[in-house]
């Protein structure tokens, strides 16, 4: 009898924990570092993994750097070999916490929030605060979207002088994650 009660409690606790996690493996992460009048420097990654803990608002995302796709294959090659050095630094991660997150407040309409966290790219971790977010709950999905800017120089990436006037040091990043209950 004691074993049955323990098994029942264990099952309930596992169920409760699993209900607090929302996950995606098809998150979208885009960036652009273009300078007007020059070729667009932009890439998209549609295979970003992200997880949200709805009990406390903790959020994490992981993108494989080689998953970024450019319009120009040569630009993609240069990005991976010369700038991101994706063989040495294959992953980009973000870990943070949504300020004042309350799962029960998520309704059918979108709400605004912000997140503070740490972004790791090219082997460098940078604290980023106040990233504005839009949160929506649609049926069984939580949709998180937003955008922010970072500086290439903050991640110890050197832009060669020959192309410095064609690449912005400021990178616009936007994201969209459709997370489902795990």
């Amino acid at each position: 009898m004691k074993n049955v009660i323990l098994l029942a409690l264990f099952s309930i606790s596992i169920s409760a924990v699993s209900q607090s996690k929302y996950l995606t493996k098809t998150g979208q992460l885009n960036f652009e570092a273009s300078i007007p009048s020059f070729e667009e420097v932009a890439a998209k990654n549609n295979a970003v993994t992200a997880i949200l803990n709805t009990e406390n608002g903790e959020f994490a995302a992981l993108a494989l750097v080689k998953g970024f796709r450019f319009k120009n294959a040569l630009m993609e090659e240069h990005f991976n070999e010369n700038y991101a050095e994706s063989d040495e630094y294959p992953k980009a991660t973000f870990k943070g916490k949504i300020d004042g997150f309350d799962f029960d407040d998520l309704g059918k309409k979108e709400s605004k929030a912000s997140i503070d966290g740490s972004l790791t790219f090219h082997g460098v971790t940078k604290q980023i605060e106040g990233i504005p977010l839009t949160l929506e709950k649609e049926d069984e999905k939580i949709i998180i979207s937003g955008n922010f800017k970072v500086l290439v120089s903050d991640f110890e990436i050197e832009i060669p002088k020959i192309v410095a006037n064609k690449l912005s040091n400021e990178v616009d990043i936007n994201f969209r994650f459709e997370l489902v209950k795990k």
Side-chain angles (χ1 to χ4, degrees), residues 136-150:
E136 296 177 73
K137 188 171 181 205
E138 227 178 65
D139 300 319
E140 295 298 313
K141 288 190 254 183
I142 295 175
I143 301 168
I144 300 174
S145 59
N147 63 320
F148 62 102
K149 296 176 189 277
V150 296

Side-chain angles (χ1 to χ4, degrees), residues 29 31 62-66 68 77-94 118-126 128 150-160 169 171 173:
L29 182 60
F31 73 81
L62 174 122
L64 295 177
V65 177
K66 285 188 178 181
F68 285 100
E77 182 180 327
H78 286 288
F79 169 77
N80 282 300
E81 292 178 5
N82 303 330
Y83 302 102
E85 299 177 276
S86 56
D87 285 338
E88 187 174 347
Y89 308 107
K91 299 174 186 174
T93 61
F94 180 86
S118 59
L119 174 64
T120 301
F121 182 76
H122 195 248
V124 178
T125 300
K126 172 98 172 134
I128 302 176
V150 296
L151 299 178
V152 170
S153 55
D154 285 346
F155 295 92
E156 299 175 9
I157 297 170
E158 293 182 28
I159 299 173
N169 184 46
V171 179
I173 299 171

Side-chain angles (χ1 to χ4, degrees), residues 17-29:
V17 168
S18 67
Q19 289 178 356
S20 66
K21 307 282 192 226
Y22 279 68
L23 175 80
T24 185
K25 292 183 181 180
T26 59
Q28 301 166 347
L29 182 60

